[in-house]
Amino acid sequence: MAFFMGPEVPEDKIKATIAKVESFSEHIEKRLASGRAYLGGDKMTTADISVYSALKSIAFNDGTMCLPLKEGVRAVISTKPHIKDFVARMDKTFADYLQHRPKPRPI
């Protein structure tokens, strides 16, 4: 996957990674579409934190160096209303931490 590469990632790797994110996000979107607040139900679990962290680190991180990957993942997420709501809910949950965290480093 292209997540851990620098700004110069081959286009085929970017496309393959975005395709994996698309497939993964379909599964997540279906789970959240059932009316759940979180992936496992009504309470947050480590699965929620893992998914949230992965999405934030790629699509919403100012330090993401591979802009085509970042834009591609954002485009995928923009078509998933339940994932967007999930990210907003998690953002609210972690607002204080996110406001005071150390500045992100490029990945």
Side-chain angles (χ1 to χ4, degrees), residues 14-91:
I14 293 170
K15 287 181 179 180
T17 300
I18 292 170
K20 288 178 183 179
V21 170
E22 176 69 42
S23 175
F24 175 74
S25 69
E26 287 293 330
H27 176 71
I28 298 301
E29 182 72 4
K30 286 178 186 174
R31 289 190 69 87
L32 294 170
S34 69
R36 303 165 182 231
Y38 300 102
L39 296 172
D42 294 330
K43 294 184 180 180
M44 186 188 318
T45 67
T46 56
D48 299 293
I49 295 168
S50 294
V51 169
Y52 174 72
S53 176
L55 294 173
K56 291 296 279 191
S57 68
I58 300 164
F60 303 103
N61 183 348
D62 291 338
T64 300
M65 295 175 70
C66 182
L67 295 182
L69 177 62
K70 179 179 182 173
E71 292 165 1
V73 172
R74 279 188 173 189
V76 168
I77 293 169
S78 73
T79 66
K80 311 286 187 251
H82 297 97
I83 291 177
K84 290 191 313 188
D85 291 345
F86 170 78
V87 170
R89 191 167 35 260
M90 295 294 283
D91 280 345

Side-chain angles (χ1 to χ4, degrees), residues 3-14:
F3 296 151
F4 302 108
M5 297 183 177
E8 302 299 323
V9 179
E11 188 174 338
D12 62 325
K13 290 203 182 285
I14 293 170

